[in-house]
Amino acid sequence: MKPLQIKREIESRLTNENWVTSFDRDSETLRIVDKRYDKGVTVQLSNLKDKFKENKEKALEETINFINEGLGLLGKTINLEGNEKNIFPVIRATSFPTETEDGKKLIYSDHTAETRVYYAVDHGRSFSLIDAETLENEGKSLKEIHEAALFNIRSLGGDMKSDKVAGNTFYFLNTDDGYDASRILNESLLKEMSEKSAGQLAVAVPHQDVLIFGDIRNETGFDILAQMVFQFFSEGRVPITALPFIYENNELEPVFILAQRKPKSGKKK
């Protein structure tokens, strides 16, 4: 389906009289704003084309749920005190905004040259990113939030699926809990996968809802990894990075993979 067709399908399911939509043809995005707050959410329609082609009703339901949950948080107050068990890290690209639309500064930590760690309070089916004003009002420090988030991410489980291709093994974690990519911060998991790998361990977070590990044993594996990560990146509702990482010496380094050649690693910040 074309973005304009997807736009019309989405708008046909929006029934809240306080919501106003606008369509940007150049960026192929649909913006839905709640006029009571003058805030809203943006849907990247081009990333939904394959999902709508595969299963239109399922893709439409997921998109409407995303919009409802996002707009439903606009009037919600974020409480940190007594809510520490619901604080989680959220991996985003370095191009992700560091301020909200109304000018509030989001708290975050540096991660790699491609990614940052933001922090959120989980509400069950959605989450709210934590801003500096909330942090100050509740007398919390970034260090406290960071430690709570890392502790909580280690508590999340999830079964991995695996696939062997050309002598390489790939593992996929996709629980759809909003924190699949964030599990890259679970150092115990990274070490476990490193010990499990017979070759070189690659890790990728192409979008929010997937974490990929690759036990790369030959150069073909790098080519497969590059194609795989790019495809996930282009299809993700919240894309992060199309560059995979190599995990060595307890560090993640982004790598640029050239066809039929082993990658040269980019340096971590």
Side-chain angles (χ1 to χ4, degrees):
M1 294 179 69
K2 295 181 179 180
L4 186 58
Q5 293 174 303
I6 297 176
K7 163 195 174 293
R8 290 169 180 161
E9 291 285 352
I10 293 173
E11 287 179 329
S12 70
R13 299 288 185 95
L14 301 178
T15 58
N16 193 312
E17 61 182 14
N18 295 303
W19 296 354
V20 179
T21 64
S22 59
F23 176 57
D24 188 319
R25 290 179 180 273
D26 294 331
S27 62
E28 297 184 334
T29 57
L30 178 65
R31 178 79 177 156
I32 306 98
V33 172
D34 191 319
K35 58 188 180 183
R36 293 172 297 180
Y37 305 101
D38 196 27
K39 300 177 186 177
V41 297
T42 301
V43 179
Q44 183 65 54
L45 301 176
S46 57
N47 289 343
L48 298 175
K49 289 187 288 188
D50 289 340
K51 287 187 176 182
F52 269 73
K53 182 179 179 181
E54 180 180 342
N55 190 325
K56 177 181 143 182
E57 283 305 314
K58 181 181 178 182
L60 188 56
E61 181 181 352
E62 290 178 351
T63 304
I64 296 301
N65 286 339
F66 167 74
I67 294 170
N68 287 336
E69 290 165 11
L71 294 178
L73 294 174
L74 295 181
K76 187 180 287 290
T77 300
I78 302 176
N79 296 312
L80 303 179
E81 188 65 39
N83 214 14
E84 288 83 1
K85 66 179 182 180
N86 293 319
I87 295 173
F88 289 91
V90 176
I91 292 289
R92 288 291 184 264
T94 50
S95 59
F96 190 81
T98 57
E99 292 187 3
T100 63
E101 291 181 347
D102 53 354
K104 292 183 179 180
K105 294 184 178 180
L106 297 170
I107 63 170
Y108 64 86
S109 301
D110 292 329
H111 182 228
T112 72
E114 302 297 319
T115 53
R116 288 196 191 111
V117 183
Y118 292 78
Y119 302 92
V121 175
D122 186 78
H123 302 298
R125 296 185 62 183
S126 56
F127 57 72
S128 299
L129 294 178
I130 302 172
D131 58 63
E133 182 180 327
T134 299
L135 199 67
E136 183 178 355
N137 289 343
E138 301 221 8
K140 297 288 186 180
S141 68
L142 177 58
K143 182 179 179 181
E144 288 178 286
I145 297 300
H146 178 74
E147 290 177 350
L150 290 189
F151 178 82
N152 292 332
I153 201 67
R154 289 194 294 269
S155 70
L156 297 182
D159 295 329
M160 287 193 193
K161 296 180 180 179
S162 64
D163 189 19
K164 291 187 177 182
V165 185
N168 306 275
T169 305
F170 299 94
Y171 302 88
F172 307 88
L173 183 62
N174 173 223
T175 66
D176 279 330
D177 63 2
Y179 307 106
D180 289 311
S182 298
R183 287 166 169 81
I184 196 174
L185 299 170
N186 185 345
E187 192 63 35
S188 296
L189 177 60
L190 293 179
K191 289 181 179 178
E192 176 187 334
M193 295 304 296
S194 179
E195 293 172 359
K196 185 176 181 179
S197 298
Q200 194 163 25
L201 180 64
V203 191
V205 284
H207 63 71
Q208 170 186 287
D209 299 309
V210 69
L211 174 62
I212 301 173
F213 290 101
D215 180 0
I216 308 300
R217 307 189 189 189
N218 53 54
E219 293 188 5
T220 301
F222 287 109
D223 294 332
I224 296 169
L225 177 67
Q227 296 169 22
M228 181 187 299
V229 174
F230 183 79
Q231 180 177 351
F232 273 92
F233 175 78
S234 64
E235 296 175 353
R237 187 178 63 198
V238 184
I240 299 177
T241 176
L243 287 180
F245 302 89
I246 292 298
Y247 181 71
E248 285 183 328
N249 301 319
N250 300 327
E251 290 193 349
L252 293 165
E253 293 191 1
V255 294
F256 299 88
I257 299 176
L258 304 178
Q260 302 303 321
R261 294 183 59 186
K262 197 172 182 178
K264 294 182 179 180
S265 62
K267 292 300 179 182
K268 180 181 176 183
K269 280 186 178 180

